[in-house]
Amino acid sequence: MPSITNGLFLVCPFSQMENFITNHFGEVFIFTAPASIFSLEDKEAVDEMKIILRNERITDIYLAIDTGCRFIRNAIAGNNLPDFTCEEIIAELKNANDDAFSLSRKIVLHQLKELNSAKLIAEEIKAFNISLHGIVTSKKENKAMKVS
């Protein structure tokens, strides 16, 4: 994938994707939440995101999750304990036929829908004409796949 300017990546901090993203997409801004599931009703967190959007003139937001994410692995293995809000959402999205890619894709699409509809951030995204993108990565295979 080509280098991206003025991009903001929303990723899971536990997946340690910073180097992978920089190698694949160039220098971008990164905002994190467990399993890339953001609490878009958390005014403080959304306000921080808005500051980045405005100050850095973000044109594109990339919601990315790695198939090796520990929350994905645990959910697929049936080991998830709902200690994090993200694990509850993953449990709601997961079905018995999911593999790491299909579950990751569901999470990305769920979060993109949330970004488009969350009152605290959706208006900002529309007002600044920011494009939203979904990406499922596999650091293990050195791949990044756009999903829609």
Side-chain angles (χ1 to χ4, degrees):
M1 290 188 178
S3 183
I4 296 168
T5 56
N6 293 47
L8 174 63
F9 275 74
L10 307 179
V11 302
C12 176
F14 301 110
S15 294
Q16 302 173 347
M17 294 176 58
E18 292 84 354
N19 288 335
F20 178 87
I21 289 170
T22 301
N23 290 339
H24 282 265
F25 302 100
E27 293 296 321
V28 295
F29 297 92
I30 296 176
F31 203 77
T32 64
S36 300
I37 297 178
F38 292 80
S39 175
L40 299 172
E41 302 304 322
D42 178 346
K43 185 172 177 356
E44 187 176 314
V46 171
D47 284 347
E48 288 179 28
M49 191 182 299
K50 285 180 178 181
I51 290 169
I52 294 170
L53 297 178
R54 288 184 201 132
N55 291 351
E56 303 303 333
R57 295 184 173 95
I58 299 298
T59 57
D60 296 271
I61 295 175
Y62 296 84
L63 198 298
I65 191 164
D66 192 77
T67 56
C69 170
R70 78 176 192 176
F71 297 105
I72 302 294
R73 287 192 328 264
N74 285 342
I76 296 297
N79 298 333
N80 56 323
L81 303 171
D83 292 333
F84 288 86
T85 301
C86 68
E87 291 173 309
E88 294 171 16
I89 293 169
I90 291 169
E92 291 172 14
L93 295 172
K94 181 184 173 287
N95 69 41
N97 297 321
D98 278 324
D99 59 15
F101 179 83
S102 64
L103 183 55
S104 297
R105 182 177 183 276
K106 284 181 183 180
I107 293 167
V108 167
L109 296 177
H110 174 267
Q111 282 301 108
L112 289 174
K113 183 179 175 183
E114 292 291 311
L115 280 167
N116 270 319
S117 63
K119 291 179 183 178
L120 293 176
I121 193 74
E123 289 181 19
E124 192 92 4
I125 290 169
K126 289 178 182 117
F128 288 99
N129 201 27
I130 297 170
S131 298
L132 300 177
H133 311 275
I135 298 176
V136 173
T137 64
S138 172
K139 290 190 320 183
K140 183 178 179 180
E141 297 176 22
N142 197 32
K143 290 183 182 178
M145 297 141 287
K146 283 192 175 185
V147 295
S148 55

